[in-house]
């Protein structure tokens, strides 16, 4: 039978069956034992060669990274840590891999080295596990929303609007004959952007998703977004994937319920479907933690962290309450915050967010009702006139994983806000139309998909959870 390694490893009932497999050699020991991996699981299957009856040239070509096809008999294994192995009867080398040149050796490589070899790193245990979990998580995202009758909306990548009003956009310019358009005095001529209109890569699909919520009731996006902000951190990418649900007739409380329920669902889904990969990643993280000084070690294993999140309520705290806590706290006995919180109205830094989650509440936190002037223009103003119906979900080790809000549905209030911020009505006339024709309370949020993958896999650097990271240093692949 044709099979894959994942199935065979579970198939003790098939002992003595003839099997065929194709995959890549991970290691080859004693001229006899091939650890074969075909990507279907983190685990390798042991393939035992009858080396006395295999020609010398073939044996030489069984090297790490080579693609091979084998036929053989599935047998109970004598080796430790594996229940079955394959007694090989036929072997064919499909693609050689010169061991003197192949960058991925059967040893531990640094993540920095592997980032430079992003086209090959998914062949390692860690990255194959991360990418399988990533794939399952994205399926869970769609399943969650589809089961609840949300409509998947494909929002534009090239757009004329700045959804966040933060000015962190990559410009899109038309090139003709390989030359950037220039004015007579030699400056870049932006009037030639996208055939005459100023355009950029989207920073968020929210505004367009709102148009769908106000017609179909429930909508969500799941697509790439781009930010030209400083991405030299372990939590920022210039290109990342965002999930943005948007729901008509839902207020901020409903929005918090949705975010919490959604996150728990997708984490539960991978806990169930990615057992082997998560067990491997849990071990990896435990090893990594051991190399840290005691005080910096995480108290919980990866699996316990995931279970903790799905089993416990997120703590909901207003910005104002959070500021009171932070003013009266120190991150530890000796140290103050790098940016001490002195007054109401200050924006929270990741050190504050992580303090609240990791030290104070010791669970995921949803902060809400932020000061209006540190949040985006479209958030609904509260009756106090100074806070908006914003929410951020904060996670251990990650900080902000979700940002969302109840939207300003009142035409006049929104127009006034845009005036204050210098956003021109003619730029967002279509967005204002939603408030002119059949306006209603509505809310939504954005979840940074890579931050979710980071949390779920326990990877420290966001560059290691996306296949080809776009950061200021890297756009090669
Ligand atoms: O908080 P943000 O900027 O919110 C929005 O874009 C809203 N329009 C979302 C909405 O209400 N529909 O971004 C949302 C999330 C953040 O919480 C974070 O998880 C992630 O997107 N994010 C990034 N992830 C990786 N790299 C970056 N540079 C990111 N910037 C934001
Ligand atoms: Mg945010």
């Amino acid at each position: 039978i044709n099979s894959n390694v994942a199935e065979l490893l579970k198939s003790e009932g098939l002992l003595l069956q003839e099997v065929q497999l194709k995959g890549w050699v991970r290691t080859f020991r004693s001229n006899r034992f091939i650890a074969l991996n075909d990507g279907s699981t983190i685990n390798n299957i042991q393939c035992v060669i009858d080396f006395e009856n295999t020609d010398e040239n073939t044996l030489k070509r069984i090297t790490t990274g080579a693609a091979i096809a084998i036929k053989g008999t599935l047998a109970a294994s004598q080796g430790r840590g594996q229940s079955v192995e394959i007694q090989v009867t036929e072997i064919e080398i499909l693609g050689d891999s010169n061991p003197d040149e192949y960058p991925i050796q059967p040893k531990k490589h640094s993540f920095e080295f592997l980032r430079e070899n992003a086209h090959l790193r998914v062949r390692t245990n860690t990255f194959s596990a991360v990418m399988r979990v990533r794939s399952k998580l994205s399926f869970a995202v769609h399943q969650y929303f589809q089961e609840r009758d949300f409509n998947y909306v494909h929002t534009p990548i090239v757009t004329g609007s700045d959804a966040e009003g933060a000015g962190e956009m990559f410009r899109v310019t038309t090139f003709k004959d390989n030359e950037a358009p220039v004015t007579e005095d030699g400056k870049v001529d932006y009037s030639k952007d996208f055939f005459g209109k100023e355009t950029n890569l989207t920073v968020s699909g929210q505004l367009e998703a709102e148009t769908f919520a106000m017609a179909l009731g429930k909508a969500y996006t799941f697509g790439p977004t781009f930010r030209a902000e400083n991405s030299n951190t372990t939590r920022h990418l210039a290109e990342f994937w965002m999930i943005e649900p948007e729901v008509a007739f839902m207020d901020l409380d409903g929005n918090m319920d949705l975010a919490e329920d959604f996150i728990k669902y997708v984490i539960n889904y991978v806990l169930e479907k990615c057992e082997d990969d998560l067990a491997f990643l849990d071990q990896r993280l435990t090893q990594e933690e051991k190399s840290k000084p005691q005080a910096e070690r995480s108290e919980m294993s990866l699996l316990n962290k995931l279970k903790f999140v799905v089993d416990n309520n997120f703590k909901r705290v207003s910005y104002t309450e959070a500021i009171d806590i932070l003013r009266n706290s120190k991150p530890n006995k000796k140290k103050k915050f790098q940016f001490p919180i002195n007054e109401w109205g200050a924006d929270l830094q990741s050190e504050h967010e992580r303090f609240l989650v990791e030290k104070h509440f010791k669970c995921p936190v949803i902060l809400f009702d932020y000061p209006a002037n540190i949040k985006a223009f479209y958030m609904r103003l509260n009756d106090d006139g100074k806070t908006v119906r914003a929410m951020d979900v904060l996670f251990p080790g990650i900080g902000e994983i979700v940002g969302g809000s109840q939207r300003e549905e009142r035409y006049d209030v929104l127009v006034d806000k845009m005036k204050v911020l210098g956003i021109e009505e003619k730029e967002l006339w279509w967005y204002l139309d939603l408030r002119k024709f059949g306006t209603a309370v509505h809310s939504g949020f954005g979840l940074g998909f890579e931050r979710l993958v980071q949390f779920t896999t326990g990877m420290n650097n966001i560059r290691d959870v996306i296949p080809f990271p776009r950061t200021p240093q890297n756009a090669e692949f």
Side-chain angles (χ1 to χ4, degrees):
I1 49 166
N2 268 315
S3 194
N4 67 35
V5 174
E7 283 167 20
L8 290 182
L9 288 176
K10 278 187 250 147
S11 65
E12 282 166 67
L14 290 176
L15 289 188
L16 303 180
Q17 293 252 1
E18 292 300 307
V19 294
Q20 298 186 31
L21 259 189
K22 289 175 185 167
W24 294 272
V25 176
R26 280 293 170 83
T27 56
F28 185 38
R29 294 187 286 114
S30 315
N31 251 353
R32 242 191 122 185
F33 302 107
I34 301 173
L36 188 73
N37 190 284
D38 66 354
S40 60
T41 157
I42 186 81
N43 299 308
N44 305 322
I45 195 162
Q46 174 158 287
C47 305
V48 187
I49 302 274
D50 174 9
F51 66 93
E52 279 166 359
N53 292 311
T54 308
D55 71 87
E56 194 113 324
N57 185 42
T58 304
L59 288 174
K60 260 196 219 132
R61 292 170 66 196
I62 305 174
T63 58
T64 297
I68 62 172
I70 55 147
K71 286 186 184 160
T73 315
L74 197 64
S77 175
Q78 316 297 319
R80 272 197 307 134
Q82 62 208 7
S83 56
V84 295
E85 65 186 23
I86 298 172
Q87 304 288 345
V88 176
T89 50
E90 260 180 75
I91 177 163
E92 184 189 350
I93 311 290
L94 302 173
D96 290 283
S97 175
N98 183 340
D100 299 331
E101 288 177 23
Y102 188 49
I104 310 295
Q105 298 294 322
K107 62 160 194 171
K108 225 174 148 69
H109 290 291
S110 76
F111 288 154
E112 290 77 13
F113 171 82
L114 291 172
R115 263 170 238 145
E116 288 162 17
N117 289 282
H119 60 307
L120 300 174
R121 69 178 175 167
V122 69
R123 299 176 179 206
T124 65
N125 282 335
T126 299
F127 285 89
S128 71
V130 168
M131 293 306 157
R132 273 187 299 264
V133 173
R134 182 182 167 108
S135 169
K136 284 279 186 273
L137 270 174
S138 43
F139 185 79
V141 167
H142 286 294
Q143 182 153 301
Y144 179 85
F145 289 119
Q146 294 292 336
E147 278 176 353
R148 286 159 186 76
D149 295 325
F150 282 66
N151 293 278
Y152 181 30
V153 43
H154 300 108
T155 50
I157 306 293
V158 176
T159 167
S161 58
D162 176 2
E164 287 303 294
E168 292 163 339
M169 300 170 299
F170 290 105
R171 204 132 192 177
V172 176
T173 303
T174 317
F175 276 68
K176 220 179 155 190
D177 302 329
N178 253 344
E179 275 181 43
V182 285
T183 56
E184 272 168 22
D185 51 358
K187 296 213 173 89
V188 177
D189 183 359
Y190 289 119
S191 73
K192 298 288 182 334
D193 274 19
F194 203 75
F195 312 108
K197 166 123 181 61
E198 251 187 63
T199 48
N200 51 274
L201 296 177
T202 188
V203 296
S204 153
Q206 176 198 323
L207 305 193
E208 292 90 352
E210 281 184 54
T211 71
F212 268 56
M214 296 309 284
L216 304 179
K218 295 195 257 183
Y220 74 104
T221 72
F222 184 4
T225 50
F226 306 85
R227 304 247 170 130
E229 62 195 346
N230 174 20
S231 341
N232 270 323
T233 79
T234 55
R235 302 178 317 126
H236 289 87
L237 292 161
E239 177 182 293
F240 63 99
W241 287 65
M242 189 155 37
I243 296 144
E244 298 183 273
E246 192 71 31
V247 183
F249 315 116
M250 184 177 78
D251 64 9
L252 191 69
D253 286 327
N255 208 18
M256 291 194 238
D257 292 343
L258 180 68
E260 182 168 346
D261 189 54
F262 166 65
I263 294 175
K264 287 178 173 173
Y265 177 95
V266 293
I267 291 178
N268 252 325
Y269 183 91
V270 291
L271 275 170
E272 206 178 287
K273 303 276 180 187
C274 303
E275 227 178 312
D276 290 350
D277 286 324
L278 290 178
F280 172 84
L281 291 165
D282 181 89
Q283 282 293 310
R284 187 204 75 78
L285 191 64
T286 304
Q287 283 302 319
E288 191 179 270
E289 291 289 311
K290 276 190 194 147
S291 67
K292 290 183 186 166
Q294 191 89 39
E296 287 168 33
R297 280 184 211 166
S298 166
E299 287 159 25
M300 260 193 232
S301 74
L302 175 63
L303 284 169
N304 285 338
K305 250 190 251 172
L306 299 181
K307 286 181 189 140
F308 183 83
V309 164
V310 297
D311 290 341
N312 287 283
N313 292 333
F314 296 5
K315 177 83 185 163
R316 301 181 187 190
V317 190
S318 75
Y319 166 91
T320 303
E321 290 170 81
I323 288 293
D324 281 341
I325 294 166
L326 290 167
R327 270 185 182 157
N328 298 315
S329 309
K330 278 183 183 173
N332 65 44
K333 282 192 200 91
K334 280 177 248 146
K335 220 170 64 190
K336 284 189 192 156
F337 287 118
Q338 196 187 345
F339 304 96
I341 298 278
N342 296 318
E343 59 196 58
W344 191 95
D347 205 357
L348 300 186
Q349 307 293 325
S350 72
E351 58 171 342
H352 308 125
E353 297 176 340
R354 292 188 58 171
F355 173 82
L356 291 170
V357 173
E358 291 161 25
K359 299 270 163 59
H360 191 82
F361 292 111
K362 297 190 182 341
C363 70
V365 172
I366 310 184
L367 286 189
F368 62 91
D369 285 353
Y370 280 76
N373 55 11
I374 57 171
K375 287 291 180 185
F377 72 95
Y378 51 70
M379 298 186 179
R380 193 183 198 283
L381 191 63
N382 279 313
D383 293 341
D384 63 12
K386 56 177 195 173
T387 59
V388 285
R389 306 242 75 193
M391 65 174 213
D392 277 5
V393 180
L394 311 178
F395 255 48
I398 302 285
E400 179 190 335
I401 193 162
V402 162
S405 63
Q406 186 173 323
R407 317 307 187 188
E408 184 55 77
E409 86 284 13
R410 298 163 297 182
Y411 182 88
D412 296 335
V413 182
L414 185 57
V415 167
D416 283 350
K417 182 67 179 282
M418 286 167 59
K419 268 199 196 107
V420 171
L421 294 175
I423 304 170
E424 292 202 53
E425 281 180 47
K426 68 172 184 345
E427 295 293 318
L428 286 175
W429 62 273
W430 55 273
Y431 189 68
L432 288 167
D433 265 6
L434 303 179
R435 279 76 185 161
K436 239 164 79 186
F437 309 116
T439 193
V441 164
H442 63 289
S443 305
F445 63 81
L447 176 136
F449 185 56
E450 283 71 24
R451 292 194 186 171
L452 174 69
V453 182
Q454 244 188 306
F455 179 75
T456 313
T457 58
M459 297 296 280
N460 177 50
N461 195 320
I462 198 165
R463 297 165 199 204
D464 297 330
V465 300
I466 188 166
F468 298 101
R470 289 296 93 106
T471 62
Q473 301 79 27
N474 206 326
E476 191 170 338
F477 294 92

